[in-house]
Amino acid sequence: MLEASGLTKTFDGLTAVEGASLHVERGTIVGLIGPNGAGKTTLFALLSGFLGPDAGRVVFLGRDVTGLPPHLICRLGMARTFQIVQPFGAQTVRENVAVGAHLRHRGRAEALAHAERIAHAVGLGAELDKLAVNLTIAGRKRLELARALATGPALLLLDEVLAGLNPQEITEVIPVLRGIAAGRDGTPGVTVLMIEHVMQAVMNLADRVYVLANGRMIAEGAPAEVTSDPAVIEAYLGHGAAERLRRAYGAAHAA
Amino acid sequence: MRGLAGIAAFAVAIALMPAFVTSGYALNAMIMTLYAALLGQAWNVLGGFGGQFSFGHALFFGTGAYTMAVLQVNFGWNAWAALPAALAAGGAIGAAIGALTFRYGLRGSYFALVTLAFAEVFRILANTFQFTGAGVGLMVPLSERAADMQFATRAGYLYLILALVLVGFLVSWWLKHSRYGAWLQAVRDNEESAAALGVDVLRVKLQAIVVSGVLMAAGGAFYVQYLHYIDPHIAYGPAVSVEALLAPIIGGMGTVWGPLLGAALLHVLGETTRNLMGDAPGINLAVYGIVLVLMVSFLPRGVMGLLGTRRAARAAGDA
Ligand SMILES: Nc1ncnc2c1ncn2[C@@H]1O[C@H](COP(=O)(O)OP(=O)(O)O)[C@@H](O)[C@H]1O
Ligand SMILES: [Mg+2]
């Protein structure tokens, strides 16, 4: 469904993403992990049209969308959320979500009704009339999710929707994400590509995981496989960490 | 629909006014208030609903006024034929300014300053060209017949400005209840988010400045018909730009009734100032300036914000 190859983006001197490729198959949940500053958010911006790549190609649903503006990519069925939430603060939750719903619903009443359904689905049903500025962080994250979902996407790009939530909130949102991916109440399932730091969620949800470090893809595979990959451990914990871990682990077993 | 009923009730009340009020002073006060409301409605489309603050709405006003006057004086057009041309000219200038500014991502104070600069350029041009009457301005020949969009009684002008203000009301109401309005307010509140939700930000802004330009040009056209005269300073000077932004800022930006409310309050304020301090030059502008600062500091959502606190409190969920 999504095929990115050789994506590169340089910000005056700093190469944030370098030759990154990834592949997302329809009906799967794919995780994208990596240390802070690895270039994950930048990669999302390249996929969703917010940034134009210096090199590389993005093919979505069989179409080359490289360099298309974000609103057109969204219309084709790829919706994203922002790591730093960007609500329409002066508007209510219902109005916020309706902006997304208007992409596929011209009429105001239909869009508002659709917004209401989506808000219920992500657990914002009780806060429909609240102004977005008055939501908690957890509420704003859900709002990001609801708005993107309201555009009726085939592919959702989620940028750390669990960051800043407490363990209980995370436990509440995980089934919501699974429900979105699986589809329910007659709605089709949505393919998901998610940047996530909360490992519990990645292990729990993702079918496959990509690991980005210093702008490069360093590993790819099933979650358990990838998280035990020495290259990945080193990327997170620093050079030599895998060796130290292995030795510590081995010593513990020998004892 | 309740909103539309309110607008209809207002229109009926104003339309009945000449049957009960014969004082020319009172009718003129109502006409000038509605006229200020129309300018406010025009600015409100782009500034209040779209978040693009213009300091140069005189650009559209003056273009509407001059198109109206030039077509009648130099080309002998009938006023009713000139009106659509004046509206189109206002919209076209809007499209041109929008293309020049929004395409290059000008926002905030940059956009405000560019509109101000263009209004000033047009003032100088109008001052130069013979066909606009240069510094002397243009006088529309007196012909107090409805067929020439001039009226022997104030009531006629009242109906004319009421009709234009009603159009302004319907546009504002539509912005509150339509997909386009939702998109425009989304662009106002966060352009990135809007784009992420499939909104064509540039197109939405261009459409807003065109609609705003058309409404503002209607104000200019009315001015010419009511006062039979236009000159570069009236048409493109800063006073009319300030008048257009003041009413919605005082009444409530991005609301349907804000511009009218603001225009009414400004009218009362203007009259009070004149009574208390006489016609000292510039005194009105000084008072407006003070009011503007007070509004922005203490009532950023305008008087409608005050009236709406109950609804806002409910919306905020702190009931
Ligand atoms: N607009 C930008 N201009 C300059 N540098 C940027 C910009 N966006 C991101 N960067 C830099 O690119 C690198 C990758 O950032 P980002 O994609 O946000 O990483 P991640 O999401 O993996 O934490 C960082 O070093 C960041 O400072
Ligand atoms: Mg990030």
Side-chain angles (χ1 to χ4, degrees):
Chain A
M1 146 169 294
L2 179 69
E3 186 81 60
S5 47
L7 288 175
T8 299
K9 183 71 190 178
T10 304
F11 297 113
D12 35 48
L14 176 108
T15 303
V17 175
E18 195 171 356
S21 301
L22 95 172
H23 171 80
V24 178
E25 229 161 285
R26 186 186 288 278
T28 59
I29 301 184
V30 175
L32 175 60
I33 64 173
N36 267 325
K40 304 181 296 295
T41 297
T42 305
L43 181 56
F44 263 26
L46 294 172
L47 297 174
S48 56
F50 279 83
L51 290 174
D54 300 330
R57 236 160 65 98
V58 182
V59 176
F60 176 56
L61 295 173
R63 254 185 84 162
D64 189 341
V65 299
T66 323
L68 276 192
H71 68 271
L72 291 185
I73 291 183
C74 178
R75 284 175 196 188
L76 290 175
M78 188 197 308
R80 71 169 294 185
T81 66
F82 291 95
Q83 177 180 0
I84 299 165
V85 294
Q86 313 225 29
F88 307 123
Q91 304 184 28
T92 64
V93 166
R94 191 196 310 270
E95 289 166 338
N96 265 269
V97 182
V99 175
H102 268 306
L103 187 64
R104 318 268 179 222
H105 300 271
R106 172 174 266 281
R108 187 68 184 150
E110 297 155 50
L112 289 170
H114 187 63
E116 220 168 283
R117 280 197 300 276
I118 298 283
H120 280 289
V122 305
L124 278 175
E127 318 201 78
L128 277 162
D129 293 313
K130 227 184 212 184
L131 290 181
V133 282
N134 295 328
L135 290 176
T136 60
I137 282 292
R140 289 181 201 198
K141 293 278 185 177
R142 283 179 199 246
L143 181 59
E144 281 285 322
L145 182 61
R147 286 195 314 194
L149 202 53
T151 64
L155 173 66
L156 252 183
L157 308 187
L158 304 177
D159 196 346
E160 299 201 25
V161 282
L162 300 176
L165 305 199
N166 65 38
Q168 185 190 335
E169 290 162 342
I170 289 172
T171 320
E172 282 168 16
V173 175
I174 286 178
V176 171
L177 294 179
R178 185 170 290 126
I180 290 168
R184 58 182 172 201
D185 312 331
T187 61
V190 180
T191 306
V192 175
L193 173 61
M194 57 190 301
I195 296 176
E196 201 46 75
H197 272 306
V198 178
M199 278 302 159
Q200 173 203 353
V202 179
M203 304 301 276
N204 221 309
L205 290 169
D207 301 304
R208 242 155 26 88
V209 177
Y210 282 91
V211 186
L212 196 66
N214 288 321
R216 296 166 175 275
M217 285 298 183
I218 58 166
E220 186 240 318
E225 225 170 277
V226 158
T227 47
S228 58
D229 182 330
V232 175
I233 296 170
E234 300 214 349
Y236 272 95
L237 301 176
H239 187 66
E243 180 61 19
R244 287 198 300 277
L245 268 183
R246 201 181 54 75
R247 269 203 311 250
Y249 188 72
H253 265 254
Chain B
M1 290 306 126
R2 247 190 13 225
L4 281 182
I7 294 168
F10 165 78
V12 169
I14 300 296
L16 289 176
M17 188 178 161
F20 301 96
V21 179
T22 48
S23 144
Y25 174 82
L27 286 176
N28 182 58
M30 182 52 77
I31 289 168
M32 291 318 283
T33 302
L34 289 177
Y35 158 79
L38 175 63
L39 305 189
Q41 287 172 329
W43 188 91
N44 194 38
V45 170
L46 185 63
F49 286 99
Q52 314 300 311
F53 290 6
S54 147
F55 285 175
H57 253 49
L59 194 54
F60 314 124
F61 174 90
T63 300
Y66 268 115
T67 306
M68 198 74 186
V70 166
L71 287 177
Q72 291 182 81
V73 174
N74 298 352
F75 297 93
W77 282 37
N78 175 271
W80 291 105
L83 179 63
L87 302 184
I93 293 286
I97 297 298
L100 280 171
T101 53
F102 299 145
R103 192 167 294 283
Y104 298 103
L106 285 193
R107 293 194 228 175
S109 36
Y110 295 104
F111 174 70
L113 287 176
V114 167
T115 56
L116 180 66
F118 270 104
E120 197 53 21
V121 167
F122 273 60
R123 190 183 64 76
I124 293 165
L125 290 178
N127 225 332
T128 310
F129 289 120
Q130 280 312 314
F131 77 95
T132 56
V136 182
L138 285 176
M139 190 97 88
V140 176
L142 199 64
S143 162
E144 290 179 330
R145 305 184 309 138
D148 288 320
M149 208 191 285
Q150 293 184 27
F151 305 94
T153 64
R154 288 245 157 79
Y157 288 105
L158 181 68
Y159 292 134
L160 180 59
I161 191 65
L162 177 60
L164 297 175
V165 165
L166 267 182
V167 172
F169 262 119
L170 292 180
V171 168
S172 312
W173 184 88
W174 172 71
L175 290 177
K176 279 279 184 202
H177 297 90
S178 66
R179 176 171 73 171
Y180 176 74
W183 282 349
L184 182 59
Q185 292 170 82
V187 166
R188 172 193 67 197
D189 290 345
N190 193 315
E191 288 190 13
E192 272 213 319
S193 279
L197 299 174
V199 179
D200 187 342
V201 172
L202 177 61
R203 185 191 169 97
V204 163
K205 284 193 199 172
L206 281 174
Q207 288 166 333
I209 198 172
V210 168
V211 172
S212 188
V214 168
L215 283 177
M216 197 70 189
F222 176 82
Y223 185 96
V224 164
Q225 293 310 109
Y226 190 43
L227 296 163
H228 311 302
Y229 174 72
I230 193 73
D231 72 22
H233 189 72
I234 297 169
Y236 291 116
V240 82
S241 296
V242 170
E243 198 171 1
L245 64 84
L246 222 44
I249 288 179
I250 289 177
M253 284 187 282
T255 66
V256 173
W257 290 89
L260 177 72
L261 199 60
L265 289 172
L266 277 172
H267 187 83
V268 172
L269 186 73
E271 292 299 295
T272 314
T273 320
R274 192 167 308 143
N275 288 340
L276 290 180
M277 306 194 223
D279 256 334
I283 190 77
N284 249 350
L285 278 182
V287 172
Y288 287 169
I290 292 167
V291 169
L292 192 60
V293 170
L294 290 177
M295 290 306 297
V296 171
S297 310
F298 297 108
L299 270 186
R301 297 199 301 127
V303 176
M304 286 297 288
L306 267 187
L307 300 180
T309 36
R310 232 184 27 182
R311 187 185 155 270
R314 205 183 54 212
D318 52 13

